[in-house]
Amino acid sequence: MVRDGARGTGYMPALDTLRALAVALVLYTHYLPEPYWYRGVYWGEQGVRLFFVLSGFLITGLLLDRDRLGEDPLREFGRFMLARLARLYPCLLLYLLAFRVLGGSWTWQLIPWDAVYLTNLRIVLWNSWGSVDAHLWSLSVEQQFYLVWPWVIALVPRRWLPGAVLLAIGGALAFRSAWSSAGLGPFGIWVLPMAHLDSLGLGALVAVALRRGVPHRVLVPALLAASALGWGLSAAQILPLAGPRNTAAACLFAAIVLACARRMRAPAARVLLEAPPLVYLGRISYGIYVYHQLAPRVLAGLLDRPVSGVAEALACAALTVVIAAASHALVEQPIRAAVARRLRRQPDPDPDPAGPSVPAPSP
């Protein structure tokens, strides 16, 4: 059973529904051209922040509930990373194989970067999004976060942990501002992990606050007030280079995640957020995200023209769901279960589908 990483809360179907929402935002803005976007907003940008907030919340909760890295940090870190790779890598490898078949010989230049979770670094160094691998940048951000965050949880004393998380959140604002001021190109503030520490950190902050007994009746209004402040700073063009609206959106998503983690009591909300079809889509949302750039290529080949229009976008979405469901049932789950048996424990929580891609335009 998937668990949400918060002590005593158990599995929360609503968090899977949030994943389904996040990946739907990606499909919406990648499968349809800008004239179809509601109010002209690139909604996938918000989807990725929701995913990052979820990841920060769940991974931090998982690590805290395991009492950091235990008595043997290197061994526990190795187990943690093996479980993460078992969760994430089979799907990525299958996509890269399909990418190689569909993309031609030139894809050999890109696959080595993707295979070792350095797609984001490749984008910055090449100053280009690339091809249908561009959306994998967010997997790189997640994996790089996993390499560092367990050590932060392990080495920072618990009483200092809230301050360390707040420092990380502020560091994201400072990084985006410094990168933009230095004129280092447009990509670093979108694809490097430092640029997203506010989203990841706000999720982590919620996990830490819950374990320190901070009432959600206090934390939710505080997050909403911080979100309003961020939007106000953005509208007034104060701290423009830091992108305060990005942090504002992350604060809003952190409040939503917290509300779900505390088990929303409104019957109508629970019926919607725990609807089985949405929960299932959330469970396979990682695969939907990873595979979603294949469907337009397959459909374009069948139609002998580029995909366009709402009907064809829906066809792409349906095909992506079928591919992701098959991958989840036939490949990802068996491998993950085998690794869990090897580690002699229950499967790890399922805290992330590694996040949808954002500012990259659809190839």
Side-chain angles (χ1 to χ4, degrees):
M1 176 180 290
V2 180
R3 296 184 182 275
D4 72 2
R7 186 185 298 276
T9 60
Y11 169 53
M12 278 301 299
L15 298 184
D16 278 328
T17 297
L18 293 183
R19 295 172 179 172
L21 171 63
V23 81
L25 293 175
V26 177
L27 301 189
Y28 172 48
T29 48
H30 276 193
Y31 286 165
L32 290 172
E34 187 172 354
Y36 288 92
W37 300 350
Y38 179 67
R39 294 186 176 274
V41 174
Y42 192 92
W43 292 101
E45 178 180 354
Q46 305 309 325
V48 77
R49 293 194 176 89
L50 175 54
F51 266 123
F52 284 161
V53 170
L54 279 165
S55 291
F57 172 70
L58 294 166
I59 285 294
T60 302
L62 169 65
L63 293 169
L64 289 173
D65 290 347
R66 285 187 178 177
D67 195 25
R68 310 180 181 219
L69 292 180
E71 296 180 359
D72 188 347
L74 286 176
R75 181 172 180 270
E76 285 302 312
F77 179 72
R79 291 165 65 91
F80 170 79
M81 289 305 302
L82 181 58
R84 291 290 83 219
L85 288 173
R87 166 70 177 93
L88 303 174
Y89 205 68
C91 186
L92 173 63
L93 183 59
L94 285 175
Y95 177 77
L96 292 180
L97 291 173
F99 177 31
R100 170 67 182 87
V101 170
L102 294 177
S105 60
W106 60 272
T107 59
W108 285 121
Q109 301 175 28
L110 303 175
I111 287 178
W113 297 89
D114 303 329
V116 294
Y117 294 103
L118 291 177
T119 307
N120 58 345
L121 183 60
R122 190 269 301 165
I123 290 171
V124 172
L125 292 177
W126 291 15
N127 200 36
S128 170
W129 285 112
S131 182
V132 290
D133 74 323
H135 66 298
L136 302 179
W137 72 265
S138 57
L139 275 70
S140 301
V141 170
E142 295 271 2
Q143 193 66 23
Q144 291 153 17
F145 176 68
Y146 298 152
L147 288 173
V148 174
W149 200 244
W151 297 104
V152 173
I153 301 298
L155 299 176
V156 174
R158 290 286 177 94
R159 65 182 181 277
W160 294 348
L161 193 55
V165 175
L166 288 172
L167 185 63
I169 294 169
L173 290 164
F175 174 83
R176 292 198 294 264
S177 182
W179 187 277
S180 297
S181 298
L184 296 176
F187 295 105
I189 59 172
W190 294 115
V191 303
L192 293 179
M194 279 294 298
H196 295 284
L197 282 181
D198 49 351
S199 298
L200 293 161
L202 279 159
L205 186 65
V206 170
V208 172
L210 285 179
R211 285 157 183 78
R212 293 175 66 90
V214 178
H216 70 281
R217 293 181 181 86
V218 173
L219 193 53
V220 169
L223 289 167
L224 294 176
S227 179
L229 175 62
W231 288 113
L233 292 174
S234 179
Q237 296 187 338
I238 300 173
L239 302 176
L241 297 178
R245 72 178 182 86
N246 300 345
T247 308
C251 287
L252 175 61
F253 292 141
I256 293 172
V257 168
L258 175 59
C260 291
R262 298 300 297 175
R263 294 185 180 274
M264 299 179 67
R265 298 187 179 279
R270 294 192 66 178
V271 168
L272 175 63
L273 291 172
E274 298 182 6
L278 294 177
V279 171
Y280 177 73
L281 290 175
R283 294 287 300 276
I284 66 170
S285 57
Y286 172 64
I288 293 173
Y289 160 65
V290 171
Y291 294 123
H292 83 274
Q293 292 287 19
L294 291 178
R297 296 232 164 176
V298 172
L299 191 58
L302 295 175
L303 298 175
D304 198 27
R305 60 174 173 80
V307 172
S308 63
V310 175
E312 292 172 6
L314 292 173
C316 287
L319 178 58
T320 300
V321 169
V322 170
I323 294 171
S327 173
H328 184 264
L330 301 177
V331 179
E332 298 166 51
Q333 286 292 80
I335 291 176
R336 192 175 174 198
V339 171
R341 289 193 298 269
R342 178 74 175 177
L343 296 175
R344 296 182 180 178
R345 65 180 180 193
Q346 293 297 316
D348 272 337
D350 183 11
D352 61 279
S357 165
V358 288
S362 298

